[in-house]
Amino acid sequence: MLGMQMSGRLDSWAIRWYLSVFMNDGLVLYPAKSMVANNGFDGSGIHCPGQNAFENFIDKDFFVKDFAEPSLSLDAMEEIKKYFKINHPKPPKKRFEFIGGVMRTGFNLIKKAVGKAKNLAYRFFLSNENFKLWLFNFKGKIPWSEGYNVYKKRFICQSIEANLNFNKLPQKYGYRIDERAVEYPWLFSRLNDGFEFLLDAGSFLNFDYILSSGKLKDKKIFISTLAPESSSCWDKGISYIYEDLRSTCFRDEFFDTIVCCSTLEHVGLDNTLLYTGDMDKKENKTDTYLDVISEFKRILKPGGRVFITVPYGKNINYKWFQVFNSAMVEDIVKTFNGSTSSVSYFMYKNDGWSMCDKQSADGNEDFFDIHTSAKYFPDYLAFSRAIVCIELKK
């Protein structure tokens, strides 16, 4: 199994876990009552189809106060050996046992072949976007489940081409889609036509279907982010810079437009969870986002514009991102100190996104984080309940 893992024929978390324990001469303690919950079997896990076979009740009153000196149970070891079919004595086969063994072997080979065929068929269908979308709809449109990204991508492609009235979005606009349903069309509705130097500060635009938009085709685009990502679009002439936005490499007054969507909330916090392996970026400096705003003003041409979006409500630090409140938004506007500014608020309610007033968004505390949240909200909120979209002109 480890050989298959190393050769790329298998993707198993378990064999790597066993190897880690073995190489560290470790012992594994399995409590009588489970002290963890596996949320991956809601369909969001990589190898986990939706099922409830592994659901368990965590007894909050059960905990281990003291551990005795750990020791190895020989009886348990023998049972594990039997389970993994290690060191099993092979009794001599009689004629009928041999025939039965051959039949069992044939049956197991057929069963294995059928299983492989089913797996290949499933993978084949999952490589098809239409099948993924059908699966997403069939399972009830659960955010972040299989097919969600296809559903979101197609919606965004339609919305950035549509002539939306943001003061009155259609009913159930962006149904069960995260804030990207608003951020992309809001941004694209405000971008200039024609050639300009554009900085994507945070890799918000780094998707082929976004960069293929006619609105961007005549622009010279630079994407600045902490570390290389799994995909890039260098073949479209995109320039990638890997750096800290608090101290960029660009000269003064270079860009016509700067885009910083769903990025500022991560500045100065723990970016090792998703974005980089650099442990120097495991921080808790919640106010350094203003250094980014100062950099934006420095590298922006006179008359140039900055577009910023962040999650909005009560200020809460989730370690890898934070929620911006009214005072923080005011600090952004004051620090930039531009010629004009525009601030818009949006909320997800009644199964869709709509523009709202500041007071309605101020008290927001609803956030669903697929990485850490225990369960969905009743309306299957995909991430932030409220966001703020800011346009600043130098």
Side-chain angles (χ1 to χ4, degrees):
M1 193 171 179
L2 180 61
M4 294 175 69
Q5 170 70 36
M6 295 175 68
S7 66
R9 292 178 293 153
L10 182 72
D11 181 17
S12 169
W13 173 88
I15 193 61
R16 286 175 279 182
W17 164 246
Y18 279 114
L19 177 64
S20 300
V21 174
F22 178 80
M23 292 183 68
N24 289 281
D25 195 23
L27 296 175
V28 180
L29 179 65
Y30 294 97
K33 296 182 180 180
S34 181
M35 301 174 74
V36 297
N38 189 335
N39 294 329
F41 285 92
D42 60 0
S44 63
I46 294 175
H47 302 298
C48 309
Q51 57 174 284
N52 58 10
F54 294 92
E55 286 186 2
N56 64 284
F57 171 75
I58 298 179
D59 188 350
K60 294 182 180 178
D61 296 325
F62 171 74
F63 60 94
V64 181
K65 293 182 179 178
D66 299 301
F67 287 97
E69 183 67 25
S71 61
L72 180 64
S73 168
L74 296 178
D75 290 337
M77 178 61 79
E78 288 303 315
E79 290 301 317
I80 291 172
K81 285 182 179 180
K82 289 179 183 178
Y83 178 79
F84 286 109
K85 298 180 180 179
I86 298 175
N87 296 330
H88 266 202
K90 297 181 180 180
K93 292 182 173 65
K94 296 180 181 179
R95 183 183 177 199
F96 292 109
E97 290 177 338
F98 175 76
I99 294 172
V102 171
M103 293 178 67
R104 283 193 298 274
T105 301
F107 175 76
N108 287 335
L109 287 173
I110 293 172
K111 184 178 178 181
K112 188 176 181 180
V114 170
K116 281 187 175 181
K118 288 172 66 177
N119 187 44
L120 286 172
Y122 187 69
R123 289 188 179 186
F124 171 77
F125 282 114
L126 282 185
S127 66
N128 182 281
E129 283 197 351
N130 290 327
F131 177 76
K132 285 184 178 181
L133 187 60
W134 173 86
L135 193 63
F136 178 71
N137 290 325
F138 178 75
K139 290 187 174 182
K141 291 186 176 180
I142 307 301
W144 309 108
S145 64
E146 189 67 62
Y148 170 73
N149 287 330
V150 176
Y151 171 67
K152 181 170 75 170
K153 182 184 82 170
R154 293 191 178 184
F155 179 86
I156 289 170
C157 287
Q158 293 174 356
S159 64
I160 61 178
E161 298 298 331
N163 186 21
L164 292 172
N165 179 359
F166 289 91
N167 292 310
K168 192 175 181 180
L169 291 170
Q171 189 176 12
K172 290 191 174 183
Y173 173 84
Y175 177 69
R176 293 190 179 179
I177 299 178
D178 57 58
E179 50 266 42
R180 300 293 186 272
V182 171
E183 290 170 322
Y184 280 115
W186 175 83
L187 170 66
F188 274 72
S189 69
R190 286 161 171 75
L191 286 177
N192 294 322
D193 293 321
F195 177 82
E196 62 179 0
F197 288 101
L198 184 149
L199 174 64
D200 175 10
S203 200
F204 179 72
L205 302 174
N206 192 35
F207 298 93
D208 182 73
Y209 66 93
I210 295 295
L211 293 171
S212 297
S213 170
K215 196 84 172 182
L216 299 175
K217 70 176 183 177
D218 294 326
K219 303 186 187 309
K220 175 55 184 174
I221 299 174
F222 295 78
I223 294 180
S224 176
T225 189
L226 278 176
E229 299 179 329
S230 58
S231 62
S232 60
C233 299
W234 53 265
D235 56 325
K236 294 182 181 296
I238 308 299
S239 297
Y240 290 86
I241 307 295
Y242 305 111
E243 61 179 0
D244 191 321
L245 291 175
R246 292 170 291 188
S247 179
T248 70
C249 66
F250 301 105
R251 64 174 172 81
D252 295 354
E253 300 182 355
F254 182 72
F255 291 103
D256 300 282
T257 298
I258 298 176
V259 174
C260 185
C261 295
S262 283
T263 298
L264 211 58
E265 64 266 29
H266 303 290
V267 172
L269 298 180
D270 184 2
N271 281 283
T272 62
L273 177 65
L274 295 176
Y275 305 115
T276 179
D278 183 358
M279 296 309 294
D280 289 340
K281 294 299 181 278
K282 189 173 185 179
E283 304 175 89
N284 189 27
K285 301 174 182 177
T286 56
D287 60 346
T288 55
Y289 64 90
L290 291 175
D291 295 338
V292 179
I293 302 302
S294 298
E295 275 292 277
F296 286 168
K297 187 168 186 181
R298 179 184 69 81
I299 61 179
L300 192 67
K301 292 178 181 179
R305 294 180 298 163
V306 179
F307 299 96
I308 298 169
T309 66
V310 288
Y312 185 81
K314 291 187 177 180
N315 179 230
I316 305 173
N317 184 349
Y318 287 90
K319 295 186 178 179
W320 69 284
F321 76 96
Q322 63 176 326
V323 182
F324 280 60
N325 61 18
S326 177
M328 296 166 77
V329 171
E330 290 177 7
D331 285 342
I332 290 174
V333 176
K334 288 179 182 177
T335 299
F336 188 80
N337 192 26
S339 60
T340 61
S341 64
S342 171
V343 181
S344 302
Y345 302 86
F346 295 86
M347 287 194 73
Y348 185 87
K349 59 182 179 180
N350 300 323
D351 291 329
W353 286 95
S354 59
M355 186 176 281
C356 67
D357 56 38
K358 174 182 174 299
Q359 288 71 28
S360 298
D362 276 343
N364 171 50
E365 294 182 274
D366 289 354
F367 292 88
F368 174 77
D369 179 7
I370 189 63
H371 305 288
T372 59
S373 297
K375 62 179 182 179
Y376 287 93
F377 286 87
D379 64 351
Y380 286 93
L381 176 70
F383 191 68
S384 176
R385 178 74 67 189
I387 63 168
V388 58
C389 299
I390 307 167
E391 178 181 343
L392 304 172
K393 185 176 182 179
K394 185 172 176 179

